[in-house]
Amino acid sequence: MIVGGGRIAYYLAKFLEESGMRIKIIESSHERCLTLSELLPEALIIHGDGSDESLLYSENLQEMGAFVSLTGHDEDNLMLALLAKQAGVPKVIAKISRNNYVNLIKSLGIDSIVNPGQITTNLILMFVRGLKNALGNPIKSLYRIVNNQAEALEFTINEPAKFLGIPLKHLKISKDILVAVIVRKNEIIIPHGNDSIKRGDSVILIAKNRQIFDLNEIISTEGSVD
C-alpha cells in the first residue's frame, strides 16, 4: 500500500509492478487518480484521504506486506508509518524532506526513511568523488547525467573570490545552473537562498547544455540584489 500519488509513488509502483507485486495507491486528488489509473493499469488506485484511519483499515492495511507513506507532509508520513507499524505491517517506509526527525524515527521503530533530497545529494557526490578518483585529476568537470543533457561538476574554493560569504539569493548565477550541494568539512548542505559559499567549501553544480571550467564564469556579484 502506498499513500500519496506523486511522481515518487508512480515510479515506485511502476517498478514494483514490473517485479510482479500487487500495488494499492491511495491518493486524495481525483484528477491524479485518473492519471495514475491510466499510467498504472495493473495497480488499484483509490481516491480518498490516506490519513483516514478507517479508510486504511477498510482497505486491509493490516494485511499488507509493505506500507509506504509518500505524502507531501513529513508529519503525516510519520504518523501513517506509525499507524501501519501498529497494524502489524512487516515493512514500513516513510518519506521525509527534513532531517529533524531522524532520531525520533529511529526510536519509534519505523523500518526505513527516504529523503529524496539527501538521496540526490548522495548520488551526485558518488558521481563526483568516483570520477575524480578514477581520473586522479583535480578538475571538477565530472559526470554527464540525464541522458547527457546535464553535467555534475565540483569546484573546491581555495582562492579568494568576490562571491564568498554572500547569500546565494543576492548573487547573479548564470541561466541553467543549479547550485546543488555545498560540502563544508564533514557537513553536506542542500543550499537555499540564505546560504553562502565560503573558502574551503566544495561546491557541486548541475549545469545544463554547457561546459564550465571556472566558478567565476557562472557566479558573480554583478547585477546582484543588495
Side-chain angles (χ1 to χ4, degrees):
M1 179 181 287
I2 300 172
V3 176
R7 284 182 296 175
I8 296 176
Y10 162 69
Y11 286 113
L12 174 61
K14 184 176 176 62
F15 174 80
L16 293 176
E17 274 192 350
E18 292 172 353
S19 302
M21 297 185 186
R22 292 183 297 170
I23 311 301
K24 182 179 294 188
I25 299 176
I26 300 176
E27 164 60 36
S28 60
S29 167
H30 182 262
E31 182 178 355
R32 182 61 178 170
C33 286
L34 295 177
T35 301
L36 290 172
S37 296
E38 295 177 0
L39 295 173
L40 301 165
E42 300 300 321
L44 176 60
I45 311 299
I46 299 165
H47 177 221
D49 181 1
S51 64
D52 183 345
E53 182 176 348
S54 61
L55 173 61
L56 296 178
Y57 275 99
S58 70
E59 293 298 333
N60 303 314
L61 170 65
Q62 66 277 13
E63 298 178 8
M64 296 295 111
F67 177 90
V68 188
S69 51
L70 296 175
T71 77
H73 304 284
D74 288 358
E75 293 81 0
D76 288 346
N77 289 336
L78 293 177
M79 293 303 296
L80 290 170
L82 286 175
L83 178 62
K85 200 67 180 174
Q86 291 175 355
V89 179
K91 184 66 175 179
V92 176
I93 301 170
K95 177 179 78 73
I96 63 169
S97 58
R98 294 170 291 175
N99 291 323
N100 311 46
Y101 303 108
V102 172
N103 293 329
L104 174 62
I105 293 167
K106 290 178 179 178
S107 68
L108 294 175
I110 296 173
D111 297 298
S112 301
I113 59 170
V114 177
N115 185 326
Q118 192 66 54
I119 289 173
T120 302
T121 299
N122 290 341
L123 285 173
I124 294 171
L125 285 171
M126 180 182 67
F127 291 146
V128 166
R129 302 298 184 188
L131 190 56
K132 184 179 73 171
N133 292 338
L135 298 175
N137 192 328
I139 297 175
K140 306 300 191 300
S141 180
L142 293 158
Y143 204 86
R144 303 285 300 176
I145 58 177
V146 194
N147 296 322
N148 289 327
Q149 297 180 43
E151 191 172 29
L153 310 98
E154 181 186 30
F155 296 89
T156 300
I157 315 302
N158 292 321
E159 301 296 329
K162 291 183 179 179
F163 56 75
L164 297 184
I166 299 176
L168 294 177
K169 64 184 180 182
H170 295 321
L171 294 176
K172 181 180 180 181
I173 300 176
S174 299
K175 185 180 179 181
D176 295 330
I177 301 292
L178 172 67
V179 181
V181 182
I182 298 173
V183 183
R184 182 170 298 151
K185 295 182 179 179
N186 294 322
E187 182 182 10
I188 296 175
I189 301 168
I190 300 176
H192 298 81
N194 290 323
D195 291 306
S196 61
I197 300 169
K198 298 181 179 180
R199 190 167 181 175
D201 286 352
S202 288
V203 179
I204 298 175
L205 307 176
I206 302 297
K208 180 182 178 182
N209 298 325
R210 63 179 296 175
Q211 289 186 329
I212 301 169
F213 300 98
D214 190 325
L215 203 58
N216 290 295
E217 292 179 23
I218 55 95
I219 300 180
S220 72
T221 57
E222 296 180 5
S224 62
V225 179
D226 293 329

